[in-house]
Amino acid sequence: MKDGIRIDGRKPDELRPIKIEAGVLYRADGSCYLEWGGNKIMAAVYGPREAMPRHIQDPTKAIVNARYNMVPFSVEDRKRPGPDRRSVEISKVTSEALEGVIFTELFPRATIDVCIEVLDAEAGTRCAGITAAAVALADAGIPMRDLPVACAAGKVDGTVVLDLTSDEDKEGDADLPIAIAPRTEEILLMQMDGHMTPAEFDEAVELAIKGCREVSKLQREALMNKYKTFEVE
Ligand code: ADP
């Protein structure tokens, strides 16, 4: 950080460029392609459909089953294919964040499967994945009480900054990804690594929520773009 400007030229409270497109896959019930800085992510939703095998069914509500996966070419050194500890953790916290807004009780014994494929990774992929998954869920017509959105803030060179890049994540002091339900600002996910003072933590949460609000607008625009209808003359 030099004169309040970050290594990639952003101000402390600035997001990386974001592009969101809804409904990009023909065979999924809902989908979303999202680019966020150097991240490229595809999310696909299948369901609600009968959960199989039967013993995993919940007679009172649907299961939300998100699977986060990084493809081998998404990182600098080829990543070994298949699940690892990190992807299992991210899948779990993502499932729980999404479950927090879905009206699961409407679909007993069902499963709602959410596949998140990270095609290119450059820090903040769990936030980008949740953001893409939310758009894919809406595209699939899954009833939700809000459209979840996620964004991280952190601390680099002693300054609280929004949306860390890979270098900032590696060199920085702390990273705090959060997901919220933007209407109520209820927290759906909060994780942190590194160290911050309580005052810095409060500042980072506030900044991450501000980031979430900006990303939320882009999610809604992406859905409007897909579903807008033209008046026929
Ligand atoms: P997030 O992507 O949500 O920030 P992490 O903090 O765990 O999650 O990872 C930070 C970044 O480190 C990732 O976005 C990715 O760019 C990189 N990374 C993660 N796993 C690997 C891996 N196995 N090999 C190389 N780089 C990785």
Side-chain angles (χ1 to χ4, degrees), residues 70 75 79 86 121-126 169:
M70 272 180 148
V75 290
K79 189 198 159 284
R86 179 176 170 277
E122 201 243 313
T125 57
R126 77 193 64 205
D169 192 23

Side-chain angles (χ1 to χ4, degrees), residues 204-224:
V205 172
E206 206 170 300
L207 193 56
I209 290 177
K210 175 186 160 293
C212 283
R213 277 198 227 107
E214 283 179 42
V215 181
S216 175
K217 281 193 208 130
L218 303 176
Q219 285 176 306
R220 280 157 208 273
E221 271 170 31
L223 285 162
M224 296 287 222

